[in-house]
């Protein structure tokens, strides 16, 4: 979290019957409230996020720079070091380097 402290993280899940108890437990179990840069939620039955990103498998990670440019996607479980490297790449790309 030290390396991702300045990164906005949005975690979205699908939730059967809008039952968000598991989501609330996840937030509680990982004490995510102490990280103001992390937002956790569900898209319910809209599938808007899934359709927008053409998500076929989960987990799915999309890394954008602060200019809204897509830098990298991961469509499977990914090592945190790879995610951190992509975030650093996004930081460089927003500066035009």
């Amino acid at each position: 979290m030290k390396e991702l402290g300045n990164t906005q993280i949005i975690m979205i899940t699908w939730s059967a019957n809008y039952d968000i108890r598991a989501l609330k437990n996840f937030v509680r179990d990982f004490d995510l409230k102490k990280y103001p840069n992390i937002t956790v939620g569900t898209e319910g039955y809209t599938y808007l996020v899934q359709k927008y990103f053409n998500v076929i498998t989960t987990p799915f990670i999309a890394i954008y720079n602060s200019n809204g440019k897509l830098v990298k996607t991961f469509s499977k479980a990914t090592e945190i070091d790879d995610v951190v490297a992509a975030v650093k790449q996004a930081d460089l790309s927003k500066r035009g380097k």
Side-chain angles (χ1 to χ4, degrees), residues 55-68:
V55 176
I56 297 173
T57 62
T58 57
F60 178 84
I61 300 170
I63 308 286
Y64 284 83
N65 68 17
S66 61
N67 296 327

Side-chain angles (χ1 to χ4, degrees), residues 9-10 16 30-32 36 52-53 55-56 59-60 64-65 67-69 73-74 78:
I9 300 171
I10 309 293
F30 290 94
D31 200 17
L32 297 182
Y52 180 82
F53 288 106
V55 176
I56 297 173
F60 178 84
Y64 284 83
N65 68 17
N67 296 327
K69 180 182 176 193
T73 61
F74 299 94
T78 305

Side-chain angles (χ1 to χ4, degrees), residues 24-35 38:
K24 287 181 178 182
N25 291 342
F26 179 82
V27 170
R28 181 201 64 219
D29 293 349
F30 290 94
D31 200 17
L32 297 182
K33 290 187 184 232
K34 69 181 179 183
Y35 303 107
I38 298 177

